[in-house]
mmCIF file of all heavy atoms in Angstrom:
data_model
loop_
_atom_site.group_PDB
_atom_site.id
_atom_site.type_symbol
_atom_site.label_atom_id
_atom_site.label_comp_id
_atom_site.label_asym_id
_atom_site.label_seq_id
_atom_site.Cartn_x
_atom_site.Cartn_y
_atom_site.Cartn_z
ATOM 1 N N ALA Y 1089 6.479 -66.541 163.194
ATOM 2 C CA ALA Y 1089 7.445 -67.529 162.690
ATOM 3 C C ALA Y 1089 6.733 -68.774 162.170
ATOM 4 O O ALA Y 1089 7.303 -69.553 161.428
ATOM 5 C CB ALA Y 1089 8.425 -67.908 163.799
ATOM 6 N N ASP Y 1090 5.461 -68.952 162.596
ATOM 7 C CA ASP Y 1090 4.672 -70.120 162.209
ATOM 8 C C ASP Y 1090 5.262 -71.424 162.749
ATOM 9 O O ASP Y 1090 5.536 -72.369 161.998
ATOM 10 C CB ASP Y 1090 4.541 -70.183 160.670
ATOM 11 C CG ASP Y 1090 3.326 -70.988 160.239
ATOM 12 O OD1 ASP Y 1090 2.426 -71.199 161.070
ATOM 13 O OD2 ASP Y 1090 3.300 -71.430 159.071
ATOM 14 N N ILE Y 1091 5.462 -71.443 164.067
ATOM 15 C CA ILE Y 1091 5.994 -72.653 164.710
ATOM 16 C C ILE Y 1091 4.979 -73.778 164.647
ATOM 17 O O ILE Y 1091 3.795 -73.550 164.374
ATOM 18 C CB ILE Y 1091 6.391 -72.392 166.185
ATOM 19 C CG1 ILE Y 1091 5.171 -72.014 167.025
ATOM 20 C CG2 ILE Y 1091 7.484 -71.327 166.283
ATOM 21 C CD1 ILE Y 1091 5.400 -72.116 168.525
ATOM 22 N N LEU Y 1092 5.460 -74.992 164.942
ATOM 23 C CA LEU Y 1092 4.573 -76.155 164.867
ATOM 24 C C LEU Y 1092 3.405 -76.029 165.839
ATOM 25 O O LEU Y 1092 2.252 -76.215 165.465
ATOM 26 C CB LEU Y 1092 5.370 -77.437 165.168
ATOM 27 C CG LEU Y 1092 4.574 -78.738 165.111
ATOM 28 C CD1 LEU Y 1092 3.933 -78.949 163.749
ATOM 29 C CD2 LEU Y 1092 5.470 -79.916 165.461
ATOM 30 N N MET Y 1093 3.697 -75.725 167.115
ATOM 31 C CA MET Y 1093 2.581 -75.589 168.066
ATOM 32 C C MET Y 1093 2.997 -74.990 169.397
ATOM 33 O O MET Y 1093 4.174 -74.980 169.753
ATOM 34 C CB MET Y 1093 1.912 -76.938 168.312
ATOM 35 C CG MET Y 1093 2.715 -77.882 169.165
ATOM 36 S SD MET Y 1093 1.859 -79.447 169.386
ATOM 37 C CE MET Y 1093 2.350 -80.281 167.891
ATOM 38 N N PHE Y 1094 1.985 -74.494 170.093
ATOM 39 C CA PHE Y 1094 2.141 -74.021 171.466
ATOM 40 C C PHE Y 1094 1.717 -75.146 172.404
ATOM 41 O O PHE Y 1094 0.679 -75.764 172.175
ATOM 42 C CB PHE Y 1094 1.209 -72.827 171.734
ATOM 43 C CG PHE Y 1094 1.539 -71.594 170.959
ATOM 44 C CD1 PHE Y 1094 1.030 -71.395 169.676
ATOM 45 C CD2 PHE Y 1094 2.358 -70.618 171.512
ATOM 46 C CE1 PHE Y 1094 1.328 -70.249 168.960
ATOM 47 C CE2 PHE Y 1094 2.658 -69.454 170.805
ATOM 48 C CZ PHE Y 1094 2.151 -69.271 169.528
ATOM 49 N N ASN Y 1095 2.506 -75.373 173.436
ATOM 50 C CA ASN Y 1095 2.054 -76.248 174.513
ATOM 51 C C ASN Y 1095 1.422 -75.348 175.569
ATOM 52 O O ASN Y 1095 2.110 -74.612 176.262
ATOM 53 C CB ASN Y 1095 3.225 -77.044 175.090
ATOM 54 C CG ASN Y 1095 3.741 -78.088 174.106
ATOM 55 O OD1 ASN Y 1095 2.999 -78.538 173.235
ATOM 56 N ND2 ASN Y 1095 4.992 -78.457 174.235
ATOM 57 N N VAL Y 1096 0.101 -75.402 175.661
ATOM 58 C CA VAL Y 1096 -0.660 -74.436 176.453
ATOM 59 C C VAL Y 1096 -0.850 -74.964 177.875
ATOM 60 O O VAL Y 1096 -1.207 -76.122 178.070
ATOM 61 C CB VAL Y 1096 -2.021 -74.169 175.779
ATOM 62 C CG1 VAL Y 1096 -2.884 -73.276 176.626
ATOM 63 C CG2 VAL Y 1096 -1.800 -73.568 174.397
ATOM 64 N N GLU Y 1097 -0.623 -74.091 178.845
ATOM 65 C CA GLU Y 1097 -0.595 -74.551 180.239
ATOM 66 C C GLU Y 1097 -1.765 -74.073 181.087
ATOM 67 O O GLU Y 1097 -1.846 -74.401 182.267
ATOM 68 C CB GLU Y 1097 0.738 -74.140 180.876
ATOM 69 C CG GLU Y 1097 1.934 -74.650 180.080
ATOM 70 C CD GLU Y 1097 3.056 -75.199 180.934
ATOM 71 O OE1 GLU Y 1097 2.855 -75.371 182.148
ATOM 72 O OE2 GLU Y 1097 4.127 -75.452 180.372
ATOM 73 N N SER Y 1098 -2.660 -73.254 180.520
ATOM 74 C CA SER Y 1098 -3.842 -72.843 181.288
ATOM 75 C C SER Y 1098 -4.935 -72.355 180.343
ATOM 76 O O SER Y 1098 -4.666 -72.022 179.179
ATOM 77 C CB SER Y 1098 -3.493 -71.719 182.268
ATOM 78 O OG SER Y 1098 -3.096 -70.559 181.551
ATOM 79 N N GLU Y 1099 -6.151 -72.269 180.881
ATOM 80 C CA GLU Y 1099 -7.275 -71.760 180.104
ATOM 81 C C GLU Y 1099 -7.022 -70.291 179.735
ATOM 82 O O GLU Y 1099 -7.282 -69.866 178.606
ATOM 83 C CB GLU Y 1099 -8.557 -71.884 180.944
ATOM 84 C CG GLU Y 1099 -9.779 -71.402 180.218
ATOM 85 C CD GLU Y 1099 -11.060 -71.559 181.062
ATOM 86 O OE1 GLU Y 1099 -11.025 -72.252 182.106
ATOM 87 O OE2 GLU Y 1099 -12.077 -70.981 180.657
ATOM 88 N N ALA Y 1100 -6.475 -69.549 180.695
ATOM 89 C CA ALA Y 1100 -6.239 -68.119 180.455
ATOM 90 C C ALA Y 1100 -5.234 -67.928 179.309
ATOM 91 O O ALA Y 1100 -5.396 -67.032 178.469
ATOM 92 C CB ALA Y 1100 -5.714 -67.462 181.727
ATOM 93 N N GLU Y 1101 -4.220 -68.796 179.278
ATOM 94 C CA GLU Y 1101 -3.236 -68.695 178.203
ATOM 95 C C GLU Y 1101 -3.880 -69.028 176.848
ATOM 96 O O GLU Y 1101 -3.605 -68.375 175.831
ATOM 97 C CB GLU Y 1101 -2.063 -69.639 178.478
ATOM 98 C CG GLU Y 1101 -0.971 -69.542 177.422
ATOM 99 C CD GLU Y 1101 0.026 -70.692 177.474
ATOM 100 O OE1 GLU Y 1101 0.272 -71.244 178.574
ATOM 101 O OE2 GLU Y 1101 0.558 -71.038 176.406
ATOM 102 N N LEU Y 1102 -4.742 -70.033 176.863
ATOM 103 C CA LEU Y 1102 -5.420 -70.433 175.622
ATOM 104 C C LEU Y 1102 -6.213 -69.254 175.054
ATOM 105 O O LEU Y 1102 -6.177 -68.975 173.847
ATOM 106 C CB LEU Y 1102 -6.360 -71.613 175.930
ATOM 107 C CG LEU Y 1102 -7.076 -72.228 174.749
ATOM 108 C CD1 LEU Y 1102 -6.093 -72.927 173.817
ATOM 109 C CD2 LEU Y 1102 -8.135 -73.234 175.226
ATOM 110 N N ILE Y 1103 -6.894 -68.556 175.941
ATOM 111 C CA ILE Y 1103 -7.716 -67.417 175.509
ATOM 112 C C ILE Y 1103 -6.824 -66.282 174.993
ATOM 113 O O ILE Y 1103 -7.128 -65.639 173.986
ATOM 114 C CB ILE Y 1103 -8.644 -66.981 176.669
ATOM 115 C CG1 ILE Y 1103 -9.724 -68.073 176.821
ATOM 116 C CG2 ILE Y 1103 -9.256 -65.615 176.439
ATOM 117 C CD1 ILE Y 1103 -10.524 -68.000 178.086
ATOM 118 N N LYS Y 1104 -5.703 -66.098 175.655
ATOM 119 C CA LYS Y 1104 -4.743 -65.074 175.208
ATOM 120 C C LYS Y 1104 -4.191 -65.422 173.818
ATOM 121 O O LYS Y 1104 -4.128 -64.565 172.934
ATOM 122 C CB LYS Y 1104 -3.609 -64.947 176.242
ATOM 123 C CG LYS Y 1104 -2.503 -63.965 175.903
ATOM 124 C CD LYS Y 1104 -2.943 -62.517 175.905
ATOM 125 C CE LYS Y 1104 -3.385 -61.976 177.250
ATOM 126 N NZ LYS Y 1104 -2.366 -61.877 178.269
ATOM 127 N N ILE Y 1105 -3.828 -66.660 173.617
ATOM 128 C CA ILE Y 1105 -3.289 -67.070 172.307
ATOM 129 C C ILE Y 1105 -4.350 -66.874 171.225
ATOM 130 O O ILE Y 1105 -4.060 -66.384 170.129
ATOM 131 C CB ILE Y 1105 -2.776 -68.527 172.337
ATOM 132 C CG1 ILE Y 1105 -1.553 -68.630 173.253
ATOM 133 C CG2 ILE Y 1105 -2.410 -69.018 170.927
ATOM 134 C CD1 ILE Y 1105 -1.033 -70.044 173.464
ATOM 135 N N ASN Y 1106 -5.596 -67.224 171.552
ATOM 136 C CA ASN Y 1106 -6.687 -67.033 170.581
ATOM 137 C C ASN Y 1106 -6.842 -65.554 170.208
ATOM 138 O O ASN Y 1106 -6.994 -65.212 169.038
ATOM 139 C CB ASN Y 1106 -7.995 -67.563 171.154
ATOM 140 C CG ASN Y 1106 -9.137 -67.484 170.154
ATOM 141 O OD1 ASN Y 1106 -9.040 -68.044 169.059
ATOM 142 N ND2 ASN Y 1106 -10.178 -66.749 170.502
ATOM 143 N N LYS Y 1107 -6.712 -64.712 171.221
ATOM 144 C CA LYS Y 1107 -6.862 -63.261 170.983
ATOM 145 C C LYS Y 1107 -5.739 -62.756 170.067
ATOM 146 O O LYS Y 1107 -5.994 -62.070 169.066
ATOM 147 C CB LYS Y 1107 -6.831 -62.521 172.332
ATOM 148 C CG LYS Y 1107 -6.889 -61.010 172.200
ATOM 149 C CD LYS Y 1107 -6.731 -60.324 173.554
ATOM 150 C CE LYS Y 1107 -5.784 -59.251 173.506
ATOM 151 N NZ LYS Y 1107 -4.772 -58.677 173.756
#
Side-chain angles (χ1 to χ4, degrees):
D1090 203 18
I1091 64 164
L1092 181 58
M1093 73 181 84
F1094 294 87
N1095 290 335
V1096 175
E1097 305 222 10
S1098 64
E1099 181 179 348
E1101 182 194 330
L1102 184 67
I1103 288 166
K1104 178 68 65 66
I1105 293 175
N1106 184 57
K1107 176 185 133 247

